[in-house]
Amino acid sequence: MNPFVFACIAPHGSEIIPELGGTKPERMRLTRDSMMKLGHKMHDAKPDTIIVLTPHGTRIDGYFSVSNSEKMYGFVEENDGFYELERYVDRDLALAITKEAKEHNIPIASINYGTASGPISCLPLDWGAIVPLSFMPDVPIVVINPSRDLSFETHIKLGQMMNQVVQKSNKRVALIASCDWAHAHDERGPYGFDPAAALLDEEVVGFIRSNELEKMAEFDQEYIDAAKPDGIWQTLILAGAIPKEARNIHLYSYEVPTYFGLICAEITSSQTSYHVY
C-alpha cells in the first residue's frame, strides 16, 4: 500500500527558488511553475511531517544517514540572491526509521550536532532539501541521505522499511525524492559534455511515464559515471517506499535549462484515478 499522503520527485537547482532567479527568471520557469503546483498539492495534503531524500546532506561512507537533531538550518546563495530555511525535525519518526532499518540489517545511522537537544542541536540543511522545501508547508521534517557505497537493492529495501514505519506511525507523512538528473549536458558546465547525459535522462523520463522506477537499478555503472545523475538513489528509495502496484505517476515537466536535467513528478496512490503520461 501507499501510506504517504503526498509524494513527489522534485529537483533542487537553486534558481528554481524565485528569490534566486536573478536576471534570467525565465531560465527555470517551467520547473518553477511545476514546483508551485507540487507545493499546492502538498499543502492540500496537510502532512504532519515531510521526509526528504537528498544526495547533498551529511554523508556517511557505507551508511544511510538520518537527521536526529532538534532542528535544521541552511541557506543558498545564487545570482546575488540569498534564501534561508529552518525546520524542526520529527525525531520520533527519524528514530523509528533508523530502528526499523537496523533490525533488518540495513546500514544506517542517525546523526546530531552540538547537544542532545535544544537550540544548539542543529544540523546543516543542504540545498537538496532547501530548494524543494521552499515550496512546501512549514512542518517538521526528516532528512535522509543515501550512500552510493550501498547497492541499489539496499536503497529499495530502505524504502520498504520506511513504508512499514509510516504505516505504524498514525501520522500524515509526505515524501520528497530530491533529484537532479544527468549533469553532463553542456560542455561549458563543470562536468563537461557526454552524450550519455541525454540518453540517460530520456530513459529516466520513460521509466517515470511507464511507472517502472525500479528499472533504474539496471543502469550500468559506467553509464552512470558518464551521465552523472544524482537522482537514481533517492528514486529507488521512493520506489521501495511506494511499490509499483500502489502508485501512479503524473509527470509534470522535464527540461535542461543549463547543464543538468530537471524533472517534476507527482506520485499518487493507485486507488486514485490518474492518467500516467
Side-chain angles (χ1 to χ4, degrees), residues 43-244:
H43 279 82
D44 290 345
K46 296 180 173 59
D48 300 316
T49 301
I50 300 173
I51 298 174
V52 186
L53 311 172
T54 171
H56 299 303
T58 303
R59 303 183 184 191
I60 305 174
D61 291 344
Y63 289 82
F64 296 104
S65 66
V66 183
S67 59
N68 183 29
S69 52
E70 188 84 13
K71 62 183 179 179
M72 301 182 77
Y73 166 81
F75 64 88
V76 184
E77 295 178 295
E78 187 80 22
N79 297 320
D80 297 321
F82 177 86
Y83 187 87
E84 62 182 341
L85 195 72
E86 181 178 86
R87 291 286 186 270
Y88 282 93
V89 175
D90 185 338
R91 303 182 79 175
D92 291 339
L93 186 62
L95 289 173
I97 291 170
T98 304
K99 181 175 182 290
E100 185 80 12
K102 284 182 176 179
E103 289 176 354
H104 288 82
N105 299 313
I106 295 174
I108 194 167
S110 63
I111 55 175
N112 199 348
Y113 174 81
T115 58
S117 60
I120 299 175
S121 173
C122 182
L123 283 166
L125 196 60
D126 68 278
W127 67 97
I130 292 171
V131 174
L133 284 174
S134 71
F135 294 87
M136 306 301 171
D138 184 357
V139 298
I141 60 174
V142 174
V143 175
I144 300 177
N145 207 93
S147 172
R148 298 186 186 183
D149 294 333
L150 300 175
S151 69
F152 288 149
E153 291 73 19
T154 305
H155 285 73
I156 293 172
K157 188 176 179 182
L158 174 64
Q160 293 168 345
M161 297 307 100
M162 288 167 47
N163 178 301
Q164 298 302 310
V165 171
V166 171
Q167 285 191 53
K168 296 180 219 177
S169 71
N170 295 317
K171 292 183 178 181
R172 296 179 61 81
V173 181
L175 177 62
I176 299 173
S178 178
C179 308
D180 287 339
W181 296 94
H183 283 61
H185 283 280
D186 190 339
E187 62 183 9
R188 296 166 296 180
Y191 305 102
F193 172 79
D194 195 293
L199 294 172
L200 185 140
D201 277 7
E202 182 179 3
E203 288 195 73
V204 167
V205 168
F207 292 153
I208 290 173
R209 283 176 168 157
S210 61
N211 190 16
E212 296 178 302
L213 303 181
E214 293 83 358
K215 285 194 173 181
M216 293 185 205
E218 300 174 10
F219 284 144
D220 179 82
Q221 189 59 51
E222 290 186 7
Y223 187 35
I224 294 171
D225 291 343
K228 296 179 173 56
D230 74 11
I232 297 171
W233 299 265
Q234 300 86 261
T235 301
L236 290 176
I237 296 173
L238 183 148
I242 309 173
K244 182 177 180 179

